[in-house]
Amino acid sequence: VTYDPTADDHYYLGYRLDPSRAFDLDRSHDLVGTDRGAIVLGARRRIDDTVSAYAENNYDLFGRRRSLAQTYGVVYTPDALWTLDAGFEAGIIRDDTIDPATGLQRPDFRRYSGSLALGYNNEEEGINARIRGEGRFESGDDGSRDRNTYLFAAGMSWKTSEDWRLLANVDAVVSKADAGAFHDGDYVEASIGYAYRPVDNNRLNALFKYTFL
């Protein structure tokens, strides 16, 4: 449900239920309890021609791992080419499941994160690029769920000619936990490719791409 009282104000209320998130391949994160989805409430307001702000509340009723998070951000668009987006999120995850290793209830933990994104879109030159960084910091009641996670994403599309486009993308995550190296995780996926899309013959499309995972 959305409500736009003026051209500068936007309010929305939503309910989200993902039918596939209760299970994974190794069944290590199977849903405990009933998944009641998530309730999302947010607002966006344009302050002037270059600055807009947004806020969102997300109440996730994922089985017995319920979470409540608030997100706040500011988007700065100095001109038609550049966009700067800065955001902050704070929330708490309440978990009443039992740790099979210890037989004790898993502790609740809090999460704080900050993000900064930069976008560039030049239609005349055929260049569309973006870069985003985020840091997430989690702390539990007993220190067993303390974790720092750093995320980086970047992508570019460059129309080198009417028929050819250069594509590049990278996603990286580095996660460090106080519980030991077993709980750490690093993930990197990068790709570069060249796409052939002739404007005078839409029956033929080709993509040459290399991916590092």
Side-chain angles (χ1 to χ4, degrees), residues 79-148:
D79 51 39
L81 300 178
W82 296 93
T83 300
L84 180 65
D85 188 340
F88 173 76
E89 178 180 337
I92 182 171
I93 292 84
R94 301 191 182 278
D95 191 351
D96 61 356
T97 59
I98 302 300
D99 189 341
T102 63
L104 303 176
Q105 178 178 325
R106 298 179 186 271
D108 301 338
F109 64 98
R110 294 169 177 80
R111 173 183 296 162
Y112 302 95
S113 68
S115 64
L116 185 64
L118 182 65
Y120 177 78
N121 186 12
N122 190 328
E123 295 183 357
E124 294 183 358
E125 298 293 336
I127 300 176
N128 189 332
R130 57 174 177 80
I131 185 173
R132 183 178 187 273
E134 180 177 347
R136 298 179 184 176
F137 309 97
E138 300 172 353
S139 60
D141 294 340
D142 61 354
S144 63
R145 308 186 78 166
D146 293 357
R147 179 187 299 272
N148 294 338

Side-chain angles (χ1 to χ4, degrees), residues 37-199:
I39 299 174
V40 181
L41 176 64
R44 178 180 292 268
R45 177 176 177 80
R46 187 173 65 178
I47 300 174
D48 55 32
D49 293 338
T50 61
V51 178
S52 62
Y54 61 88
E56 182 177 284
N57 290 270
N58 192 313
Y59 185 36
D60 196 342
L61 305 173
F62 185 82
R64 295 164 64 184
R65 297 182 176 89
R66 300 184 178 184
S67 65
L68 175 63
Q70 295 86 33
T71 305
Y72 307 94
V74 177
V75 178
Y76 175 58
T77 309
D79 51 39
L81 300 178
W82 296 93
T83 300
L84 180 65
D85 188 340
F88 173 76
E89 178 180 337
I92 182 171
I93 292 84
R94 301 191 182 278
D95 191 351
D96 61 356
T97 59
I98 302 300
D99 189 341
T102 63
L104 303 176
Q105 178 178 325
R106 298 179 186 271
D108 301 338
F109 64 98
R110 294 169 177 80
R111 173 183 296 162
Y112 302 95
S113 68
S115 64
L116 185 64
L118 182 65
Y120 177 78
N121 186 12
N122 190 328
E123 295 183 357
E124 294 183 358
E125 298 293 336
I127 300 176
N128 189 332
R130 57 174 177 80
I131 185 173
R132 183 178 187 273
E134 180 177 347
R136 298 179 184 176
F137 309 97
E138 300 172 353
S139 60
D141 294 340
D142 61 354
S144 63
R145 308 186 78 166
D146 293 357
R147 179 187 299 272
N148 294 338
T149 305
Y150 304 94
L151 306 96
F152 174 81
M156 183 194 68
S157 173
W158 178 20
K159 189 176 180 180
T160 58
S161 67
E162 290 296 325
D163 298 334
W164 292 89
R165 289 176 175 84
L166 178 64
L167 308 172
N169 187 76
V170 59
D171 292 296
V173 179
V174 177
S175 183
K176 302 296 181 182
D178 290 349
F182 177 80
H183 300 273
D184 296 342
D186 297 335
Y187 169 84
V188 177
E189 182 177 4
S191 64
I192 185 170
Y194 215 34
Y196 178 63
R197 299 170 181 172
V199 295

Side-chain angles (χ1 to χ4, degrees), residues 16-27 29-31 35 37 62:
R16 181 180 66 247
L17 181 61
D18 184 356
S20 63
R21 73 170 178 168
F23 304 99
D24 58 11
L25 294 178
D26 61 2
R27 305 186 67 86
H29 296 87
D30 283 357
L31 179 67
D35 183 5
F62 185 82

